[in-house]
Amino acid sequence: MRPLTRKLFRDLWRLRAQSAAVVALLAIGIGMLVSSLGMKTSLGESRDAYYRDDRLSDLQLQLVRAPMRLTERIASLPGVQAIDARVAAPALLGLPGIDEQITAKLLSLDVPDKTPVNQPWLVQGRWPEPLLGSQEIVVNQAFMEAHGLQPGDTLAATIRGGRETFKIVGMANSPEFVFVSPPGQMFPQPDRYALIWMLRPALEQAADLDGAFNDLVLRLSPNADVAAIKASLQSLLGRYGAQTAQGRDRIPSARFLDQELDQLATMAKLIPPAFLAVAAFLLNVALTRLVEAERANIGLLKAFGFLPGEVALNYLGMSLVLVILGMVLGAALAQYLGEMMAALYLKVYRLPSLPFETTWDAWLIAVAVASLAGLAGSINAVRRVLKLSAAAALMPAPPPAFQHGSRLFERLTRQFDALTRVVLRRILGFPRRSLTTIAGVVCALSLLILARQFPIAIQQLLEVSFDHARRQDLSLTLIEAGGTDTLQALRRLPGTIQIEPFRNVPALFRYRTQSADEAIVGLMPDAELERLVDFNGLPQRVRDDGLIITQGLARQLGAGVGDRIDVKITTGRQVDLQLPVLAVVTVSAGNNAYVSLSQLGEVLQEPGRIGGAHVRIDPAELPAFHQAVREMPIVAGVSDLKRARASLARTFEEGAGVMTGIFVTFAVLMSVGIAFATSSVTLAEQRRDLATLQVLGFSRREVSYVLLAEIGVLTLLSLPLGVLIGHWFAMAFLKAMATDLFTFPMRFEPAAYAASAAIVLAAIIGASLLVRREIDRINLVESLKSRE
């Protein structure tokens, strides 16, 4: 083994603590980068394969009732590959021991295992068999698992006021419902919402749609003229109450999954590079200070004939070894994180499988980024080695002039004792070194604040969405819009304390060249139960003279306050309107336009009609309330807001919560690593000075004071700066993670910031005390003769 190679490994062993910190940071950065990119690829490929193999629809529309004879004309439209004209009906389910309403969507099947569009995937059991009767059903997996149901169990359902009992023969999932959430709700409630497939004759009879369909899904050829097909569908089905056909991007399940993939891509862009940048910084600190400490050795190597390039390669090789070790550990970490993330995603998204796989692209990016981090971390040290001549290196380094500060600082230092002046002069005399220490602590604190900010933002989202915006106990949705008689009937339900009507209608918004399919929500101007609330929790009053739109919708349209946007109601009368934008509001969840309920009734030419009601209930009357609702055929579904909140909290906890916990853990480890590396490097630099102080008669406690005070002063200077930069970094991250459906509010919580600073401070104190023990082991003779 060549002498320089042996020296390289001796240096690595001697600096094993700092090296371990650098390797750990590189491994974390690479592991998170590869797992994020791999998870995005795996989730995307699993989604695409599921959609392709089980034939997810490209277009879908709902209508009131259309005869089946139209299906041949629809199937013959240019660009249409396959259609399924289904019967869809809402139902209320009853389970023993559960008083609350359970809602369901029933879908018809013609040939269960050969459905041309949106083929359900049978997980367990079998499909209904026509010869054995019409009361057999297949239920979605999430609902059956939530209630412990098995094939062979029975399920009672109320369909249009009629009570029937079905036999469960199978459990299935569908590409149409990868993410299952009740209509009008953004979050899954697997125990309170079910999907049920049953044979067409049985459902036609139960829903009173013999020989008709009310739900159409289509698959299109790759080059199909989608606009022309939508226009043809509207021409054929408009008279039957058809809504405007909507594309795959408007399927709620597909939309959620698409936005999840976007967030994964954003996370891969922001989080791993931050860790790798810190690793590069730490590597730069360690190597640069090693070069300074080995100044004489470098001079000797050059004096013995080693070329400057050979000596420089020794230090570059150290960086290369650390990068390789970091990549090996990062690969193992990536596989672990990726498999864990895949298991979490399978709990939320009902995919047939989700194997975690990484691609060569991800690995090439990881190798390139890690190499760049290693090069960036070592280039400064290499440049110093090349620049340092043998003669200059063999001479002791010139002492600092301690004139970097102003005369005021010099006068201030005279006010302190000798040891404190040593500390202050070291800080002021080596400003670059002091700044690098400050930068390291700032990086650690910033990442910790970022990691802890996400759960705070989620908590804020929950509080705004449920404590401020939705304060009702239950929301009732009607099968079709009702009038004042319907509202009075709902008001008379047992236990009703307060009730407020609402109405949601789908609409196509256009402004200049931009368009968006969303919904207009009609609310009472003085609503107290469900209100329009911005992401800071401030209520916004809906008005009669125009629209209030969300920030996401405004961004999609490119519209602002004062603009007049075209609105086409895509259901019922399909009215065309032009309404002014009165305000743009940033909300936590949702992407709609809001108007007063009375104004919505006027523009729809249906004054006084409602689509449902938000209700506050006397808890003691809940069983009677649910029993009464179960006997009302006009009610399509009941949403329990407490359960919705619990479901959302659980979803975040199982998904983002776990990932946030991992980030916090990594950030804490990084803080400890930076603190330990900074302390140990500082000790290595001061070893000779500390030994000199001991020889001059200072006690070990006094000598320890010099080491700890320098680190302490720099840490105290770093903490406020770290809080500010961490706050800014967290704001930028939450803004980047926002989607059309969710905006993560930034909330400043002094306690959380103080806790983050305390964690970093504790890590630095612990690491410094650990390093301080080395003072007891300083060999005075060896330390003082090392430069001779």
Side-chain angles (χ1 to χ4, degrees):
M1 185 179 292
R2 297 173 63 239
L4 285 180
T5 305
R6 288 198 296 272
K7 178 180 183 307
L8 185 153
F9 287 109
R10 281 201 303 269
D11 289 342
L12 282 173
W13 178 250
R14 184 159 53 87
L15 299 174
R16 53 188 179 279
Q18 297 93 319
S19 301
V22 173
V23 169
L25 288 175
L26 285 170
I28 291 171
I30 292 170
M32 295 178 67
L33 177 62
V34 174
S35 61
S36 298
L37 293 176
M39 195 65 251
K40 179 177 180 295
T41 302
S42 301
L43 189 57
E45 289 180 348
S46 295
R47 175 200 63 180
D48 295 343
Y50 191 23
Y51 287 177
R52 181 186 61 248
D53 296 343
D54 288 32
R55 303 181 286 279
L56 179 65
S57 62
D58 297 304
L59 281 180
Q60 63 177 9
L61 64 83
Q62 287 79 45
L63 59 160
V64 177
R65 179 192 186 108
M68 287 297 291
R69 57 182 168 77
L70 291 176
T71 56
E72 292 185 5
R73 295 180 62 184
I74 297 170
S76 65
L77 292 175
V80 174
Q81 281 188 337
I83 71 166
D84 187 12
R86 306 183 295 190
V87 174
L92 298 177
L93 305 182
L95 283 174
I98 299 178
D99 294 328
E100 295 88 348
Q101 300 298 323
I102 300 175
T103 57
K105 182 176 184 178
L106 281 67
L107 292 169
S108 66
L109 292 171
D110 290 313
V111 182
D113 57 346
K114 296 181 180 177
T115 302
V117 185
N118 294 343
Q119 168 68 57
W121 164 54
L122 193 62
V123 179
Q124 184 182 358
R126 61 173 176 81
W127 294 111
E129 294 182 4
L131 296 179
L132 295 179
S134 59
Q135 302 302 310
E136 294 184 340
I137 58 174
V138 171
V139 182
N140 70 305
Q141 182 182 10
F143 182 79
M144 289 188 67
E145 289 179 348
H147 292 283
L149 296 173
Q150 294 292 327
D153 293 338
T154 58
L155 193 61
T158 302
I159 308 171
R160 298 185 71 85
R163 186 80 167 173
E164 299 193 39
T165 301
F166 298 97
K167 180 182 180 182
I168 301 173
V169 297
M171 180 166 66
N173 289 314
S174 167
E176 187 181 2
F177 302 104
V178 171
F179 182 87
V180 183
S181 60
Q185 298 293 321
M186 299 180 62
F187 314 112
Q189 297 183 46
D191 59 336
R192 288 297 180 270
Y193 183 68
L195 299 166
I196 296 175
W197 291 271
M198 57 193 298
L199 294 177
R200 175 185 289 274
L203 188 53
E204 280 185 349
Q205 184 179 3
D208 194 20
L209 285 169
D210 293 329
F213 65 95
N214 63 355
D215 189 89
L216 181 66
V217 289
L218 307 93
R219 280 187 62 82
L220 308 180
S221 59
N223 299 320
D225 186 341
V226 178
I229 293 173
K230 285 184 176 180
S232 298
L233 290 174
Q234 193 59 45
S235 175
L236 279 172
L237 301 173
R239 74 186 68 178
Y240 301 103
Q243 300 178 4
T244 300
Q246 295 187 328
R248 185 178 291 183
D249 61 329
R250 303 306 305 166
I251 299 176
S253 167
R255 191 177 186 186
F256 268 88
L257 191 49
D258 290 345
Q259 297 202 356
E260 186 71 48
L261 287 167
D262 292 340
Q263 289 185 330
L264 270 176
T266 302
M267 189 178 298
K269 290 178 183 176
L270 295 179
I271 299 294
F275 279 88
L276 291 171
V278 175
F281 165 78
L282 197 56
L283 183 61
N284 174 65
V285 171
L287 286 182
T288 302
R289 295 186 178 183
L290 177 64
V291 169
E292 290 297 325
E294 292 204 324
R295 181 185 177 93
N297 293 337
I298 293 171
L300 283 173
L301 288 171
K302 291 185 176 180
F304 282 131
F306 286 97
L307 297 175
E310 293 178 298
V311 180
L313 281 176
N314 176 68
Y315 294 95
L316 192 59
M318 181 181 294
S319 172
L320 180 62
V321 170
L322 297 180
V323 169
I324 292 174
L325 288 174
M327 291 179 63
V328 172
L329 292 178
L333 182 62
Q335 188 65 30
Y336 172 77
L337 288 176
E339 292 178 356
M340 187 190 67
M341 291 170 69
L344 290 174
Y345 277 123
L346 275 179
K347 290 183 179 178
V348 179
Y349 299 105
R350 296 289 170 168
L351 297 164
S353 63
L354 182 55
F356 173 71
E357 296 177 353
T358 55
T359 63
W360 284 109
D361 293 347
W363 283 114
L364 287 175
I365 292 173
V367 170
V369 173
S371 301
L372 186 62
L375 184 63
S378 57
I379 192 168
N380 189 39
V382 171
R383 186 171 57 82
R384 289 192 180 195
V385 172
L386 293 173
K387 186 178 178 181
L388 195 62
S389 67
L394 287 171
M395 292 189 296
F402 300 115
Q403 293 298 324
H404 297 283
S406 66
R407 294 184 181 279
L408 175 62
F409 282 124
E410 287 297 312
R411 287 197 295 270
L412 287 176
T413 58
R414 296 193 187 101
Q415 308 302 316
F416 299 97
D417 59 79
L419 293 179
T420 303
R421 286 202 299 275
V422 171
V423 172
L424 295 177
R425 285 182 175 181
R426 284 188 59 81
I427 294 174
L428 297 173
F430 300 95
R432 180 180 299 178
R433 187 173 59 192
S434 301
L435 288 175
T436 54
T437 301
I438 291 174
V441 178
V442 167
C443 288
L445 182 54
S446 299
L447 284 180
L448 192 55
I449 288 176
L450 168 65
R452 292 172 58 86
Q453 187 61 45
F454 203 60
I456 294 174
I458 290 175
Q459 183 62 32
Q460 172 77 356
L461 185 149
L462 289 172
E463 291 178 4
V464 170
S465 298
F466 293 96
D467 297 344
H468 297 276
R470 299 174 180 85
R471 301 188 294 184
Q472 67 272 33
D473 297 315
L474 302 170
S475 291
L476 306 178
T477 305
L478 304 178
I479 292 177
E480 56 188 30
T484 53
D485 292 344
T486 302
L487 180 60
Q488 292 302 321
L490 296 177
R491 201 184 302 276
R492 289 192 294 270
L493 286 169
T496 301
I497 299 175
Q498 188 176 3
I499 188 166
E500 288 177 356
F502 70 91
R503 190 172 185 186
N504 299 346
V505 292
L508 175 63
F509 299 89
R510 291 196 186 93
Y511 181 70
R512 295 178 179 170
T513 61
Q514 304 298 317
S515 64
D517 282 309
E518 296 294 349
I520 295 182
V521 180
L523 298 174
M524 300 290 288
D526 55 351
E528 295 181 357
L529 298 182
E530 178 151 334
R531 307 177 298 173
L532 173 60
V533 172
D534 69 14
F535 75 143
N536 289 317
L538 299 176
Q540 308 291 318
R541 182 183 175 87
V542 295
R543 292 168 54 176
D544 295 331
D545 52 344
L547 297 172
I548 298 177
I549 64 176
T550 60
Q551 181 66 45
L553 182 56
R555 186 169 53 249
Q556 284 181 276
L557 298 173
V561 176
D563 294 330
R564 296 184 69 84
I565 59 177
D566 296 321
V567 182
K568 181 180 180 61
I569 307 299
T570 57
T571 186
R573 300 175 186 273
Q574 302 203 350
V575 182
D576 289 304
L577 310 165
Q578 191 177 66
L579 296 172
V581 177
L582 302 178
V584 176
V585 179
T586 302
V587 297
S588 298
N591 195 36
N592 300 311
Y594 294 83
V595 70
S596 71
L597 182 61
S598 59
Q599 176 68 11
L600 182 60
E602 285 185 17
V603 298
L604 293 176
Q605 301 175 24
E606 297 175 345
R609 298 185 74 80
I610 65 171
H614 306 298
V615 189
R616 182 174 292 167
I617 300 292
D618 180 358
E621 297 289 338
L622 264 177
F625 179 88
H626 286 299
Q627 181 59 37
V629 169
R630 195 172 290 121
E631 296 171 356
M632 295 183 74
I634 59 173
V635 177
V638 181
S639 179
D640 187 322
L641 272 296
K642 290 181 180 177
R643 289 188 176 277
R645 175 173 183 152
S647 173
L648 178 59
R650 187 167 55 251
T651 300
F652 280 132
E653 184 178 350
E654 292 178 349
V658 173
M659 295 306 300
T660 300
I662 293 174
F663 291 158
V664 171
T665 302
F666 287 165
V668 171
L669 290 177
M670 192 188 70
S671 303
V672 174
I674 287 180
F676 186 79
T678 301
S679 303
S680 58
V681 169
T682 303
L683 173 65
E685 292 175 339
Q686 295 190 32
R687 183 177 292 271
R688 177 184 173 83
D689 298 337
L690 298 177
T692 303
L693 289 174
Q694 290 189 57
V695 170
L696 292 177
F698 289 95
S699 66
R700 287 178 177 172
R701 176 178 297 180
E702 291 171 318
V703 173
S704 299
Y705 167 76
V706 175
L707 172 68
L708 299 179
E710 178 180 346
I711 297 173
V713 170
L714 295 176
T715 300
L716 292 177
L717 293 174
S718 307
L719 294 181
L721 191 59
V723 168
L724 290 176
I725 294 178
H727 183 76
W728 176 85
F729 195 18
M731 281 198 301
F733 178 74
L734 293 177
K735 185 177 181 181
M737 291 292 286
T739 66
D740 291 341
L741 296 178
F742 293 103
T743 299
F744 297 100
M746 181 71 189
R747 182 165 73 181
F748 177 72
E749 283 200 0
Y753 283 61
S756 299
I759 291 173
V760 172
L761 187 60
I764 292 176
I765 291 174
S768 300
L769 292 177
L770 190 64
V771 172
R772 193 217 68 79
R773 296 191 306 173
E774 295 296 321
I775 293 178
D776 300 337
R777 305 169 186 168
I778 291 179
N779 187 319
L780 300 181
V781 177
E782 292 296 327
S783 298
L784 292 175
K785 67 186 290 188
S786 60
R787 298 286 182 89
E788 300 301 329

